[in-house]
Structure formats: C-alpha cells, structure tokens
Amino acid sequence: MIDKHQISIRFKELYGSEPTLISKSPGRINIIGEHTDYNEGFVLPTAIDKAVYVALSKRDDSEIHLFAEDFNESFSIDLKDIKPTEKGWPNYILGVVNQILSRGLKISGFNLYINGDIPVGAGLSSSAAVECATGFGLNALFDLGLDKVSIAKIGQLAEHTYAGVKCGIMDQFASVLSKENHVVRLDCRDLSYTYVPLELGDYEIVLLNTNVKHSLASSAYNDRRHSCERAVSLVQEKYKDVNSLRDVTLDMLVELVKPVDEDSFVKAKFVVEENKRLEKACSAMESGDIAEMGKQMFQAHKGLSQEYEVSCKELDFLVDKAKAFPEVLGARMMGGGFGGCTINIVKKGFGHELVEALAPAYKNEFNLELTPIFVKTDNGSELVY
C-alpha cells in the first residue's frame, strides 16, 4: 500500500504546496466471465487491495501539470490544446480530461501526481485504475456532480479515444463501484448490477503472474470479436430480435452457425456457456459452496484455452499444475489472454507452498520467473486525503 503522507510530501516537492485531495482507484480481478463483456453478457469482477493514487490541486491558469512516479516523468499541456500524446502514459489522464470537457463541464488547470502499487502488465487493469482515480479526483476537486457510473463510463471512453483500446466497461466499473468482500455481478448490456458476497472461509485468492505478454493479443482479440459478431449475424437471419450473443441459445448456434462457420460456432458457444458458468458460480457463492465455484473456474479455463483459444502454454502449464493440488479448489487464466495471471482459489497458508512447488518447474520449462501476487478484495474509488 502507498503511504498517503509520502504522496503529500512528494507532491509538495514537485509543486510547492500540499495537494488539495488524494483519490484512490484499485485494480481488479474477475472471478469468472471472460470475453463476455463485449457480447452483452455478465461479468463477476471485484477490486483488489492494490491501487493507483492521484494527488491533485487547482492552478490559477489553464495549464495541466502531470508527474508519474513510475516513469519519473513530467508532462504539461494547456487545457485548450488537449490532444493525445506520443508519450503514452499521459493519455489515460488527458483522455479523462477530454471526456469531462466534451460534456460541457468546467474545470481549470491543475497539478497532478500519480503513483501506485498495481503490477503493470499483470492483467489487473492498472490503466482503468489511472482513468478512474483521475476522474474520481477531478470530480471532487471541481465539484462536477458526476455519479460513479458516469465516472466509469468516462474512463472507458478515455481508453477508447486516447489510448486506442476498445475495451468493455468491466475494468472501469469494477475499479469505481466495487465493495469489499463482494463481487459485482454486472450486466454488460444495461449496466445493472448487484453485489454477491464473496466469503472464501478457509480459502484465499492467489494470482500467479506468468511474466509474459504475447504479441498476438490485440489482433486475436479483434478476431474473436469478429467471430462472435459473425455468429450473431447468422442467427439474426432467422431470429430478428437477437441483438447479441446474450440472446442466443446453443440450439440456435447448432442450427444456424455450425453448418456455415465452424470457427464462429465454437467461439460463440464458449460465450453462451461462459454466461451459464457465471450463473452457477454466483449461486455457489451465495450458498457458500466455494468448491463448486472453483469447479466452474477450471471449466472456464478449459473453454478459454481449447475453444476460445486465448490462453498460452505458460497459462495452461500453471493451471494444469495447480489442479494437481487438493488445496487448490479452482484456477483459470484471467483477462484478455496470451499472458498475465492465473487466478487461484487456494487453502489459506498454502499459497507460498504452491509457489515453491511450481516456480522451479515453471522456470525449467519456460526460463521465466513465477511471481505470486497475494490479494484481498477492496472497495472501489474513494478519497483518502
């Protein structure tokens, strides 16, 4: 956890005065429900106790001054000149500013300092946390009157327009609206949501970071979206009221997609079945059946690997090896795929033993270090100063 007093000291070193406020937005995990968000399905994320912190104060002019501790870099621009920059990291902040201005909301220049403890590249949505901490902080600093769902939407649109990633809403929504010891059962069609208790009892969540990110991730993501859209269009030829895979049954896919496009059938079938797995996992959580929840996670990984084909040999290796331990109730790849982390439901106290057992074999197989990340659930965006 980042010390807010250290943030204040650093802010004063950079800008000559204390920050007016510090906002915090967490990273996220997703228990189950992968690649369902852009198909108007359901997801089951929650925030974790690793976050991005943004310290802010107003300026007397129209300039924005930014400093990112992770990069030890500053950036400044005038409000009237806001546009994407080649530097990269400022875009997640500037995109939020652009969205606020495009809504006709009034802000002046400001000083901003950003720091955090979310491991970058682990698939824990550090970019969404940056967007949401910025939006949440600016909303408070300038009294903009934005509700939490609007802040999440602003973060998503900032990523679309300034970072160039057409992400679903899950990451930003989880970052802003999560509740400790609960998961958010989010309907990605209409953004209605409920909180489902996540009482793990004698178990805890351990993430295993593969420390890889394969380059085909973005092109494969677009290919999967296209396959899903193709399946929907084939079904729509007979069923006019179908809008997305959310409305599609397995029988429809067998009848109308399988004979025409086998690949689109397999991809769409995964999404339809993943929504069903999520429902089963939710019921299991509500009844405290963590073993059943874990079973659905193992099945989800099998589908992600063999049907949706977004896993990789490193992720498959870790899930296969984890499955051999009775102390592990469930494991699967998490996120877009082709790298990042596996999420594991592990008997309390066994996590370190699991890592000690897997790390040498993983190193031997791939010549890569295995990095464990121990996480707890947490609340969404909040002011900490």
Side-chain angles (χ1 to χ4, degrees), residues 35-50:
H35 292 276
T36 48
D37 57 349
Y38 54 82
N39 288 298
E40 295 192 344
F42 294 93
V43 289
L44 214 59
T46 185
I48 56 171
D49 56 344
K50 312 229 176 284

Side-chain angles (χ1 to χ4, degrees), residues 343-360:
I343 175 171
N344 303 264
I345 307 299
V346 180
K347 187 91 171 167
K348 274 184 184 167
F350 185 72
H352 290 288
E353 213 173 308
L354 178 68
V355 175
E356 282 170 16
L358 297 187

Side-chain angles (χ1 to χ4, degrees), residues 225-251:
R225 285 194 78 143
H226 176 73
S227 295
C228 292
E229 287 158 9
R230 165 92 168 127
V232 170
S233 68
L234 288 168
V235 172
Q236 282 170 334
E237 289 173 12
K238 181 172 178 181
Y239 299 96
K240 306 296 181 195
D241 57 344
V242 162
N243 293 310
S244 69
L245 286 179
R246 167 73 170 275
D247 309 311
V248 171
T249 65
L250 212 47
D251 288 344

Side-chain angles (χ1 to χ4, degrees), residues 191-245:
L191 298 192
S192 60
Y193 63 97
T194 53
Y195 293 107
V196 180
L198 181 64
E199 302 293 346
L200 292 174
D202 292 334
Y203 290 83
E204 62 183 345
I205 296 166
V206 179
L207 308 178
L208 298 177
N209 190 356
T210 61
N211 288 305
V212 295
K213 190 71 187 170
H214 294 290
S215 58
L216 65 149
S218 55
S219 61
Y221 177 86
N222 292 334
D223 292 343
R224 301 305 179 274
R225 285 194 78 143
H226 176 73
S227 295
C228 292
E229 287 158 9
R230 165 92 168 127
V232 170
S233 68
L234 288 168
V235 172
Q236 282 170 334
E237 289 173 12
K238 181 172 178 181
Y239 299 96
K240 306 296 181 195
D241 57 344
V242 162
N243 293 310
S244 69
L245 286 179

Side-chain angles (χ1 to χ4, degrees), residues 54-75:
V54 162
L56 288 158
S57 69
K58 292 180 185 177
R59 292 178 60 87
D60 297 329
D61 54 24
S62 59
E63 291 182 1
I64 296 173
H65 287 239
L66 312 176
F67 188 89
E69 190 65 54
D70 274 0
F71 299 100
N72 193 30
E73 264 183 11
S74 58
F75 180 86

